[in-house]
């Protein structure tokens, strides 16, 4: 990836770090929050590897957020000479700046991914907490 991509990701992470704390009451989101987004980039912050973001290659797919609290994730990444799919269907909840995704894993057990989000015009950035603590997954999406 090029330097502009890394700078954009670092800017998004910095903006998320400066986001004001969530209010106790859930505010109604703008109507433009719900809908379908395309994945533009995906990067991982792995503390063991260092402070640099590790960008994924060949990012594609969609994320659909519905007003009824359900979502559909169809993420694809280039890997091992082919394409890997990461599909999820589940529910999401949010308060200003915070989002949670609840879904069954491949063994049917309930999982929850939590983090922050920032919507600016048609650009949605989602940063999810990773494991071990301190690691993050950063998604940048564009509304269709």
């Amino acid at each position: 990836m090029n330097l502009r991509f890394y700078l954009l990701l670092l800017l998004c992470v910095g903006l998320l770090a400066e986001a004001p704390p969530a209010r106790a009451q859930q505010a109604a989101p703008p109507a433009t929050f719900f809908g379908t987004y395309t994945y533009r980039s995906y990067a991982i912050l792995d503390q063991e590897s260092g402070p640099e973001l590790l960008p994924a290659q060949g990012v594609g797919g969609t994320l659909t957020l519905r007003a009824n609290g359900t979502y559909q994730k169809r993420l694809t990444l280039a890997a091992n000479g082919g394409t890997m799919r990461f599909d999820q269907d589940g529910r999401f909840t949010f308060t200003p700046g915070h989002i949670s995704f609840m879904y069954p894993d491949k063994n049917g057990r309930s999982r929850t991914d939590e983090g922050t989000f920032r919507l600016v015009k048609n650009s949605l950035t989602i940063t999810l907490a990773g494991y071990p603590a301190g690691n993050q997954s950063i998604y940048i999406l564009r509304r269709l």
Side-chain angles (χ1 to χ4, degrees), residues 3 10 19 38 48 57 78 87 95 106 108 117 127 131 133 140 144:
L3 181 59
L10 288 173
T38 59
E48 288 185 15
Q57 301 298 313
D87 296 343
T95 57
K106 64 181 178 180
F117 75 92
T127 302
Y131 181 84
I140 298 177
L144 289 177

Side-chain angles (χ1 to χ4, degrees), residues 18-54:
E18 295 175 11
R23 289 177 254 149
Q25 260 186 330
Q26 181 170 341
T32 58
F33 178 77
F34 302 110
T36 300
Y37 297 83
T38 59
Y39 285 95
R40 308 300 291 166
S41 67
Y42 169 58
I44 298 170
L45 177 60
D46 179 4
Q47 296 293 341
E48 288 185 15
S49 299
E52 299 290 321
L53 291 171
L54 305 170

Side-chain angles (χ1 to χ4, degrees), residues 9-21 45 97 116-118 125 127 136 138:
L9 282 175
L10 288 173
L11 173 65
C12 290
V13 170
L15 289 173
L16 288 171
E18 295 175 11
L45 177 60
T116 60
F117 75 92
R118 183 170 177 85
T125 302
T127 302
Q136 297 177 327
I138 303 152

